[in-house]
Coordinates of all heavy atoms in Angstrom, one line a residue:
E193 N -28.4 -9.7 5.3 CA -29.2 -8.8 6.2 C -30.6 -8.7 5.6 O -31.6 -8.8 6.4 CB -28.6 -7.4 6.3 CG -29.3 -6.5 7.3 CD -29.2 -6.9 8.7 OE1 -28.3 -7.8 9.0 OE2 -30.0 -6.4 9.6
E194 N -30.8 -8.6 4.3 CA -32.1 -8.5 3.7 C -32.8 -9.8 3.9 O -34.0 -9.8 4.3 CB -31.9 -8.3 2.2 CG -33.2 -8.3 1.4 CD -33.0 -8.3 -0.1 OE1 -31.8 -8.5 -0.6 OE2 -34.0 -8.2 -0.9
A195 N -32.1 -11.0 3.7 CA -32.8 -12.3 3.9 C -33.2 -12.4 5.4 O -34.3 -12.9 5.7 CB -31.8 -13.4 3.6
A196 N -32.4 -12.0 6.4 CA -32.8 -12.1 7.8 C -34.0 -11.2 8.1 O -34.9 -11.7 8.8 CB -31.6 -11.7 8.6
R197 N -34.0 -10.0 7.6 CA -35.2 -9.1 7.9 C -36.5 -9.7 7.2 O -37.5 -9.6 7.8 CB -34.8 -7.7 7.4 CG -33.8 -7.1 8.3 CD -33.4 -5.7 7.8 NE -32.5 -5.1 8.8 CZ -32.9 -4.4 9.9 NH1 -34.2 -4.2 10.1 NH2 -32.1 -3.9 10.7
I198 N -36.3 -10.2 6.0 CA -37.5 -10.7 5.3 C -38.0 -12.0 6.1 O -39.2 -12.2 6.2 CB -37.2 -11.1 3.9 CG1 -37.0 -9.7 3.1 CG2 -38.3 -11.9 3.2 CD1 -36.7 -9.9 1.6
A199 N -37.0 -12.8 6.6 CA -37.4 -14.0 7.3 C -38.1 -13.6 8.6 O -39.1 -14.2 9.0 CB -36.1 -14.8 7.7
A200 N -37.7 -12.5 9.3 CA -38.3 -12.0 10.5 C -39.7 -11.6 10.2 O -40.7 -11.8 11.0 CB -37.5 -10.9 11.2
L201 N -39.9 -10.9 9.0 CA -41.2 -10.4 8.6 C -42.1 -11.6 8.4 O -43.3 -11.6 8.8 CB -41.1 -9.6 7.4 CG -42.4 -9.1 6.7 CD1 -43.2 -8.2 7.6 CD2 -42.1 -8.4 5.4
R202 N -41.6 -12.6 7.7 CA -42.4 -13.8 7.4 C -42.8 -14.6 8.6 O -43.9 -15.1 8.8 CB -41.6 -14.8 6.4 CG -41.3 -14.2 5.1 CD -42.5 -13.9 4.3 NE -42.1 -13.4 2.9 CZ -42.9 -12.7 2.1 NH1 -44.1 -12.4 2.6 NH2 -42.5 -12.4 0.9
E203 N -41.9 -14.6 9.6 CA -42.1 -15.3 10.9 C -43.3 -14.6 11.6 O -44.2 -15.2 12.1 CB -40.9 -15.3 11.7 CG -41.0 -16.0 13.0 CD -39.8 -16.0 13.9 OE1 -38.7 -15.5 13.4 OE2 -39.8 -16.5 15.0
E204 N -43.2 -13.2 11.6 CA -44.3 -12.5 12.3 C -45.6 -12.7 11.6 O -46.7 -12.8 12.2 CB -44.0 -11.0 12.4 CG -45.0 -10.2 13.1 CD -44.7 -8.7 13.2 OE1 -43.6 -8.3 12.7 OE2 -45.5 -8.0 13.8
E205 N -45.5 -12.7 10.2 CA -46.7 -12.9 9.4 C -47.3 -14.3 9.7 O -48.6 -14.4 10.0 CB -46.4 -12.9 7.9 CG -47.6 -13.2 7.0 CD -47.2 -13.5 5.6 OE1 -46.0 -13.9 5.4 OE2 -48.0 -13.3 4.7
E206 N -46.5 -15.3 9.8 CA -47.0 -16.7 10.1 C -47.6 -16.8 11.5 O -48.7 -17.4 11.7 CB -45.8 -17.7 9.9 CG -46.3 -19.1 10.1 CD -45.1 -20.1 9.9 OE1 -44.0 -19.6 9.5 OE2 -45.3 -21.3 10.2
L207 N -46.9 -16.1 12.5 CA -47.4 -16.2 13.8 C -48.8 -15.5 14.0 O -49.7 -16.1 14.5 CB -46.4 -15.5 14.7 CG -46.7 -15.5 16.2 CD1 -46.8 -16.9 16.8 CD2 -45.7 -14.6 17.0
K208 N -48.9 -14.3 13.4 CA -50.2 -13.6 13.5 C -51.3 -14.2 12.6 O -52.4 -14.1 13.0 CB -49.9 -12.1 13.2 CG -49.0 -11.5 14.3 CD -49.0 -10.0 14.3 CE -48.2 -9.5 15.5 NZ -48.1 -8.0 15.5
S209 N -50.9 -14.7 11.5 CA -51.8 -15.4 10.6 C -52.4 -16.6 11.3 O -53.6 -16.9 11.3 CB -51.2 -15.8 9.3 OG -50.8 -14.6 8.6
Q210 N -51.6 -17.4 12.0 CA -52.0 -18.6 12.8 C -53.0 -18.2 13.9 O -54.0 -18.8 14.1 CB -50.8 -19.3 13.3 CG -51.1 -20.6 14.1 CD -51.8 -21.6 13.2 OE1 -51.6 -21.7 12.0 NE2 -52.7 -22.4 13.8
M211 N -52.6 -17.0 14.6 CA -53.4 -16.6 15.7 C -54.8 -16.2 15.1 O -55.8 -16.5 15.7 CB -52.8 -15.4 16.4 CG -53.6 -14.8 17.5 SD -52.8 -13.3 18.2 CE -53.0 -12.2 16.8
M212 N -54.8 -15.4 14.0 CA -56.1 -15.0 13.4 C -56.9 -16.2 13.0 O -58.1 -16.2 13.0 CB -55.8 -14.1 12.3 CG -55.2 -12.7 12.7 SD -56.3 -11.9 13.9 CE -57.8 -11.7 13.0
K213 N -56.2 -17.2 12.4 CA -56.9 -18.4 12.0 C -57.6 -19.1 13.1 O -58.8 -19.5 13.0 CB -55.9 -19.4 11.3 CG -56.5 -20.7 10.8 CD -55.5 -21.6 10.2 CE -56.1 -22.9 9.7 NZ -55.1 -23.8 9.1
E214 N -56.9 -19.2 14.3 CA -57.5 -19.8 15.5 C -58.7 -19.0 16.0 O -59.8 -19.6 16.3 CB -56.5 -20.0 16.6 CG -55.4 -21.0 16.2 CD -54.3 -21.0 17.3 OE1 -54.4 -20.2 18.2 OE2 -53.3 -21.8 17.1
K215 N -58.5 -17.7 16.0 CA -59.6 -16.8 16.4 C -60.8 -17.0 15.5 O -62.0 -17.0 15.9 CB -59.2 -15.4 16.5 CG -58.1 -15.1 17.5 CD -58.7 -15.1 18.9 CE -57.7 -14.7 20.0 NZ -58.2 -14.8 21.4
M216 N -60.6 -17.0 14.2 CA -61.7 -17.1 13.2 C -62.4 -18.4 13.3 O -63.6 -18.5 13.2 CB -61.1 -16.9 11.8 CG -60.6 -15.5 11.5 SD -59.6 -15.4 10.0 CE -60.8 -15.9 8.8

Side-chain angles (χ1 to χ4, degrees):
E193 187 66 17
E194 177 190 9
R197 288 177 175 272
I198 291 177
L201 174 63
R202 298 298 185 199
E203 183 180 356
E204 184 179 0
E205 177 196 23
E206 184 178 353
L207 180 65
K208 293 192 172 180
S209 295
Q210 181 63 30
M211 180 186 68
M212 291 305 300
K213 181 180 179 182
E214 293 173 358
K215 293 289 185 182
M216 290 167 63

